[in-house]
């Protein structure tokens, strides 16, 4: 499992954008399209902004790219807490991606109906039927100081979901209804990339990567077919054992 550290958030964003663009090109070369799921929060936003700038804007084959979201708060798109709304501002409105290749979670629906609709959308774009599970080429994740990832919070029933690909849940900040991809879908991805920044994440990073397994939701990210990479800035990696970290 690669653990890569960068000296600061700007370098982290650059490396993340590079890894995303490289995966996009590889996926299009091998399968004719690139399917990625993004996460919200403050850490990935600098990376997202880079995607609409050179060299990444012209390197990524946007016409063959489908963008999904790992999780979403059930708030309007113009709410500051909306992951899709932030993505729209940061890069989606600035890139030549077909409108029907952008797949925000349907937060305008009742959470149960929204989760079912998004699962149906994932299967439709993948050309699959239940119980098949789509293989997304890249899933980008973050981590909370409580060890949650996506909107999979410690102790929540969503962690034990074995059949549904998307479920409603609630928690986090703000404490609102949410939709989230589940472990069977996330762990089926070709590449999973954790993007983690800041000294406030140092304790949980150490616990997740060096502590006992199975304690935190982030430790349940265990790809069944693909690769898992942790991309950290120096502050987030500051409490880990140096020998466990590859420094760029």
């Amino acid at each position: 499992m690669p653990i890569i550290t960068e000296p600061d958030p700007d370098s982290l964003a650059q490396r993340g954008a590079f890894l995303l663009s490289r995966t996009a090109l590889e996926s299009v070369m091998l399968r004719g399209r690139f399917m990625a799921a993004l996460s919200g929060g403050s850490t990935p936003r600098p990376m997202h902004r880079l995607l609409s700038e050179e060299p990444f804007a012209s390197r990524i084959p946007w016409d063959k790219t489908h963008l999904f979201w790992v999780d979403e708060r059930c708030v309007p798109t113009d709410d500051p807490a909306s992951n899709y709304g932030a993505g729209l501002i940061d890069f989606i409105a600035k890139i030549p991606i077909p409108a029907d290749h952008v797949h925000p979670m349907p937060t305008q629906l009742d959470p149960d109906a929204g989760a079912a609709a998004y699962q149906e959308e994932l299967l439709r774009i993948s050309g699959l039927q239940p119980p098949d599970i789509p293989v997304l080429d890249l899933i980008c994740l973050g981590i909370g100081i409580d060890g949650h990832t996506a909107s999979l919070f410690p102790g929540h029933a969503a962690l034990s979901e074995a059949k549904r690909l998307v479920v409603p849940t609630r928690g986090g900040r703000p404490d609102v209804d949410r939709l989230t991809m589940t472990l069977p879908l996330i762990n089926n991805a070709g590449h999973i990339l954790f993007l983690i920044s800041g000294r406030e994440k140092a304790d949980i990073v150490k616990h997740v990567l060096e502590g006992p397994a199975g304690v935190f939701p982030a430790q349940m990210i265990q790809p069944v077919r693909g690769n898992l990479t942790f991309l950290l800035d120096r502050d987030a990696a500051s409490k880990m054992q140096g020998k466990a970290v590859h420094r760029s």
Side-chain angles (χ1 to χ4, degrees):
M1 177 182 67
I3 302 172
I4 304 170
T5 62
E6 292 290 343
D8 52 55
D10 288 342
S11 300
L12 185 84
Q14 286 281 346
R15 178 64 72 97
F18 169 76
L19 292 174
L20 186 148
S21 65
R22 185 179 70 183
T23 305
L25 290 169
E26 291 173 350
S27 300
V28 169
M29 185 180 301
L30 291 172
R31 290 175 290 280
R33 68 178 177 184
F34 174 51
M35 297 175 63
L38 306 177
S39 291
S42 60
T43 297
R45 294 193 71 174
M47 180 187 80
H48 292 166
R49 295 184 187 109
L50 289 176
L51 299 179
S52 66
E53 302 173 4
E54 295 302 336
F56 304 108
S58 59
R59 181 182 296 170
I60 297 170
W62 295 113
D63 60 326
K64 296 178 174 64
T65 295
H66 284 265
L67 294 178
F68 297 88
W69 271 260
V70 174
D71 65 329
E72 184 61 277
R73 302 173 181 95
C74 293
V75 297
T77 299
D78 60 359
D79 190 298
S82 171
N83 293 339
Y84 168 65
L88 197 62
I89 293 168
D90 289 341
F91 77 105
I92 294 169
K94 306 172 187 176
I95 58 174
I97 188 170
D100 61 351
H101 285 202
V102 180
H103 308 278
M105 287 183 157
T107 57
Q108 74 278 9
L109 302 177
D110 170 84
D112 285 303
Y118 208 60
Q119 173 170 310
E120 184 176 332
E121 179 81 347
L122 283 158
L123 290 168
R124 181 183 70 81
I125 298 299
S126 301
L128 300 175
Q129 296 287 335
D132 292 335
I133 301 176
V135 180
L136 297 177
D137 298 299
L138 177 67
I139 293 181
C140 297
L141 296 174
I143 188 170
I145 58 173
D146 61 351
H148 85 266
T149 191
S151 284
L152 300 170
F153 297 99
H156 280 220
L159 288 170
S160 60
E161 178 60 51
K163 294 183 178 179
R164 291 179 293 173
L165 307 179
V166 184
V167 296
T169 186
R170 187 181 180 96
R173 294 181 296 178
D175 184 9
V176 295
D177 289 327
R178 298 167 177 245
L179 303 178
T180 186
M181 292 182 174
T182 59
L183 291 172
L185 175 58
I186 295 172
N187 283 331
N188 208 43
H191 301 266
I192 301 173
L193 174 64
F194 272 97
L195 199 71
I196 310 172
S197 176
R199 191 167 295 274
E200 71 276 7
K201 301 291 180 68
D203 283 329
I204 192 61
V205 165
K206 178 176 176 61
H207 289 314
V208 165
L209 291 177
E210 297 182 344
V215 177
F216 301 101
Q219 294 174 308
M220 299 176 189
I221 303 302
Q222 300 174 358
V224 298
R225 67 172 70 238
N227 302 312
L228 173 62
T229 300
F230 277 81
L231 180 55
L232 317 169
D233 70 5
R234 186 170 292 151
D235 281 345
S238 62
K239 294 192 177 180
M240 293 183 59
Q241 297 296 322
K243 64 182 181 181
V245 183
H246 166 70
R247 299 190 186 280
S248 63

